[in-house]
């Protein structure tokens, strides 16, 4: 059974990340975080939209905001109007894995931790991974051997 950790609110998580005050511009990669089960990765482009569970976010309104900002919009559905909000977060490796569409089985943080521990991964080690797939494991392997190690990954 995997244990989960409470990382706090999106704003608290962001305060521990680099780039917290970085302004979003065209080409910026952002996680539109509507909630725990509702997050999408978007590359911002003028004139485009990102569609999420509770609303659609026009990129033009996101460009110029900063990582960590909360954005809001009104949504009208079946004659009722309500507010929807989202946080604009800088992607981390863990968020990236969580936002992936899962066509194949991927490893999650608790499983990856076991793999890295059993392999005794640390900076300076060299790792060869066969079957990159979504890259979920690759991100963590690279982080574990950083900055002096090396990851070689191949997909068939």
């Amino acid at each position: 059974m995997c244990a989960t950790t409470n990382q706090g609110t999106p704003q608290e998580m962001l305060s521990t990340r680099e780039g917290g005050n970085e302004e979003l511009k065209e080409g910026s990669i952002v996680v539109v975080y509507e909630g725990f089960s509702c997050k999408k990765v978007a590359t911002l482009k003028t004139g485009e939209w990102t569609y999420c569970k509770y609303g659609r976010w026009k990129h033009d309104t996101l460009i110029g905001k900063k990582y960590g900002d909360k954005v809001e919009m009104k949504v009208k559905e079946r004659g009722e109007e309500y507010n929807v909000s989202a946080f604009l977060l800088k992607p981390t490796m863990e968020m990236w894995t969580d936002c992936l569409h899962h066509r194949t089985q991927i490893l999650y943080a608790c499983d990856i931790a076991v793999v890295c521990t059993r392999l005794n991964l640390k900076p300076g080690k060299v790792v060869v991974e066969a079957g990159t797939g979504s890259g979920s494991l690759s991100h963590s392997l690279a982080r574990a051997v950083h900055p002096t190690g090396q990851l070689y990954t191949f997909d068939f």
Side-chain angles (χ1 to χ4, degrees), residues 10 17 25 30 33-34 59 77 100:
R17 308 279 189 240
K25 54 187 179 272
V30 64
Y33 183 96
E34 289 182 342
H59 290 196
E77 187 176 296
L100 289 172

Side-chain angles (χ1 to χ4, degrees), residues 1 9 16 24-25 33 85 92 104 109 111 131 139 147 149-150:
M1 183 169 157
T9 67
T16 63
L24 299 173
K25 54 187 179 272
Y33 183 96
S85 61
T92 63
T104 59
D111 302 312
H139 281 283
Q150 188 70 41

Side-chain angles (χ1 to χ4, degrees), residues 23-144:
E23 187 173 296
L24 299 173
K25 54 187 179 272
E26 186 154 353
S28 293
I29 299 173
V30 64
V31 174
V32 179
Y33 183 96
E34 289 182 342
F36 179 74
S37 62
C38 311
K39 46 193 162 288
K40 291 272 179 115
V41 176
T43 302
L44 298 181
K45 295 179 186 166
T46 303
E48 292 198 10
W49 298 77
T50 292
Y51 295 86
C52 295
K53 185 173 184 177
Y54 298 112
R56 62 184 195 150
W57 302 93
K58 189 172 185 177
H59 290 196
D60 296 359
T61 63
L62 306 180
I63 293 171
K65 302 282 186 191
K66 294 184 178 183
Y67 286 114
D69 281 355
K70 182 178 182 179
V71 291
E72 296 182 338
M73 71 171 155
K74 291 192 183 289
V75 175
K76 191 170 186 177
E77 187 176 296
R78 296 184 190 124
E80 291 187 40
E81 193 173 282
Y82 57 94
N83 291 327
V84 175
S85 61
F87 290 95
L88 305 175
L89 303 179
K90 188 169 184 115
T92 63
M93 291 183 213
E94 294 83 8
M95 267 191 219
W96 192 265
T97 297
D98 203 28
C99 293
L100 289 172
H101 291 287
H102 304 214
R103 292 180 305 150
T104 59
Q105 179 63 40
I106 67 168
L107 295 174
Y108 289 94
C110 57
D111 302 312
I112 291 171
V114 171
V115 170
C116 291
T117 301
R118 294 295 300 255
L119 293 175
N120 193 27
L121 295 182
K122 54 189 169 190
K125 294 269 186 155
V126 175
V127 179
V128 177
E129 176 190 28
T132 308
S134 65
S136 172
L137 177 62
S138 306
H139 281 283
S140 295
L141 294 174
R143 180 186 283 176

